[in-house]
Amino acid sequence: MGIEIERKFLVQGEQWKLGATRSLLCQGYISAELGRIVRVRIDGDAAMLTIKGMTTGIRRAEWEYPIPVADARSLLDELCQKPLIEKYRYRLPIGGLIWEIDEFLGDNAGLVVAEVELESESQLFDRPVWLGEDVSHDHRYANASLLQHPFSHW
Amino acid sequence: MGIEIERKFLVQGEQWKLGATRSLLCQGYISAELGRIVRVRIDGDAAMLTIKGMTTGIRRAEWEYPIPVADARSLLDELCQKPLIEKYRYRLPIGGLIWEIDEFLGDNAGLVVAEVELESESQLFDRPVWLGEDVSHDHRYANASLLQHPFSHW
């Protein structure tokens, strides 16, 4: 088990794309129930099964296991709620941290969200100029929530 | 992904205990939703995360991953619906197959069920003399169902 402490922001402009690497993520949910989330994700040629517990502030317990990509594909096809979530994930190192910027596709096209994982809730970090509103506490931006209420319907 | 083809029976008497090995199983469910079951199980000093798809007759898709026992313990404690299911599992080889006989504890005490895994739906197998009613198609005996409707409340 790990603890995930994460801040989430909207972004401004496209300047953040400079220097970032990009991969295509496809993910789905076997359980999208808050506090008992079970997520399947394919990220390039790797796949993960991730279980997420209840969120307290910006802290959440997380259990993550690598699984064969073929298993992930069959879980996504056969068990996960549709539509699946597809997004480009950009990774950008800034001040010793890795920012992950997700550009959503499909029903969530138009949504771009930047996340940074911290060691503690109080950890200070450099704020890139392209950072927009802090949405860490806005549940609508949770991927499991976008499944039920995609961005294009907001 | 594997395919699980399983027959399930009630048992008569206690003759089946002769020659069987026994271990204590503790299991819980992150999702008990039919067709999207996510089970955590500790069996002695091993632990498994198992995902079960929709059942068609006695056939069901199953994805199973070994996980650290400490992870399983925290998932059982923090995420799984309570009460957890505890049972003794007896394993008994008969005619080239392994019978698994589950003697339930707690809210399901009094329930004893024998299962055998087959290669195909039509596979023939020896029926031990202690075998009782075939309950393969009776959903009440599914462990995920016993969670909501424990045997002691029937």
Side-chain angles (χ1 to χ4, degrees):
Chain A
M1 189 191 85
I3 298 290
E4 179 190 52
I5 302 173
E6 208 170 64
R7 295 285 294 272
K8 189 181 285 190
F9 297 86
L10 300 182
V11 303
Q12 300 170 329
E14 299 219 323
Q15 197 190 330
W16 51 269
K17 285 192 178 176
L18 286 171
T21 60
R22 185 177 94 161
S23 63
L24 180 62
L25 267 59
C26 178
Q27 65 191 42
Y29 293 84
I30 300 173
S31 163
E33 187 188 339
L34 257 183
R36 282 179 186 146
I37 285 175
V38 182
R39 185 188 72 198
V40 179
R41 174 185 281 173
I42 297 179
D43 179 355
D45 56 1
M48 290 295 209
L49 185 64
T50 306
I51 300 166
K52 291 170 179 264
M54 197 56 80
T55 304
T56 312
I58 60 167
R59 171 188 285 264
R60 175 154 67 173
E62 188 180 274
W63 297 257
E64 190 154 58
Y65 307 102
I67 62 172
V69 172
D71 281 22
R73 178 48 59 200
S74 62
L75 285 167
L76 288 171
D77 288 349
E78 294 175 34
L79 260 72
C80 291
Q81 300 170 46
K82 304 293 181 306
L84 303 173
I85 288 184
E86 289 196 299
K87 56 188 182 183
Y88 283 116
R89 168 156 290 185
Y90 297 79
R91 290 181 176 86
L92 186 60
I94 297 175
L97 296 173
I98 303 289
W99 284 83
E100 293 177 335
I101 302 109
D102 288 347
E103 183 178 44
F104 287 81
L105 305 171
D107 280 356
N108 294 297
L111 178 61
V112 183
V113 172
E115 291 179 346
V116 66
E117 200 157 327
L118 304 175
E119 299 286 322
S120 74
E121 278 98 332
S122 59
Q123 183 179 347
L124 297 175
F125 56 92
D126 294 339
R127 289 175 183 248
V129 291
W130 42 261
L131 221 56
E133 184 188 347
D134 185 342
V135 294
S136 304
H137 298 277
D138 190 336
H139 180 62
R140 292 177 303 160
Y141 292 95
N143 281 240
S145 171
L146 290 172
L147 200 69
Q148 265 87 42
H149 305 289
F151 186 64
S152 60
H153 300 180
W154 291 16
Chain B
M1 191 192 84
I3 298 290
E4 180 189 55
I5 302 172
E6 208 170 64
R7 294 286 294 272
K8 190 181 284 192
F9 297 85
L10 300 182
V11 304
Q12 300 170 327
E14 300 219 321
Q15 198 192 329
W16 50 270
K17 286 191 177 176
L18 286 170
T21 60
R22 185 177 95 161
S23 63
L24 181 63
L25 267 58
C26 178
Q27 66 191 43
Y29 293 84
I30 300 172
S31 163
E33 186 189 340
L34 256 183
R36 284 182 184 143
I37 286 175
V38 182
R39 184 188 73 197
V40 179
R41 173 185 281 172
I42 297 178
D43 179 356
D45 56 2
M48 290 295 209
L49 184 63
T50 306
I51 300 166
K52 291 170 179 262
M54 197 56 80
T55 303
T56 311
I58 61 168
R59 170 189 286 261
R60 176 154 66 173
E62 188 181 272
W63 296 258
E64 190 154 56
Y65 308 102
I67 61 173
V69 171
D71 281 23
R73 177 50 59 200
S74 62
L75 285 167
L76 289 170
D77 287 350
E78 295 174 35
L79 260 73
C80 291
Q81 300 170 46
K82 304 293 181 307
L84 302 172
I85 288 184
E86 290 197 298
K87 56 188 182 182
Y88 283 116
R89 168 157 290 185
Y90 297 79
R91 290 181 177 87
L92 187 61
I94 298 175
L97 296 173
I98 303 290
W99 284 83
E100 293 177 334
I101 302 108
D102 287 347
E103 183 178 46
F104 287 81
L105 305 170
D107 279 357
N108 294 298
L111 177 61
V112 183
V113 172
E115 289 178 348
V116 68
E117 199 158 327
L118 305 175
E119 298 287 321
S120 74
E121 278 99 332
S122 58
Q123 183 179 347
L124 298 174
F125 56 92
D126 294 339
R127 291 176 180 245
V129 292
W130 43 260
L131 221 55
E133 186 189 347
D134 184 341
V135 294
S136 304
H137 298 276
D138 190 336
H139 181 62
R140 293 177 302 162
Y141 292 95
N143 282 238
S145 171
L146 290 171
L147 201 69
Q148 265 86 41
H149 305 289
F151 186 64
S152 60
H153 299 182
W154 290 16

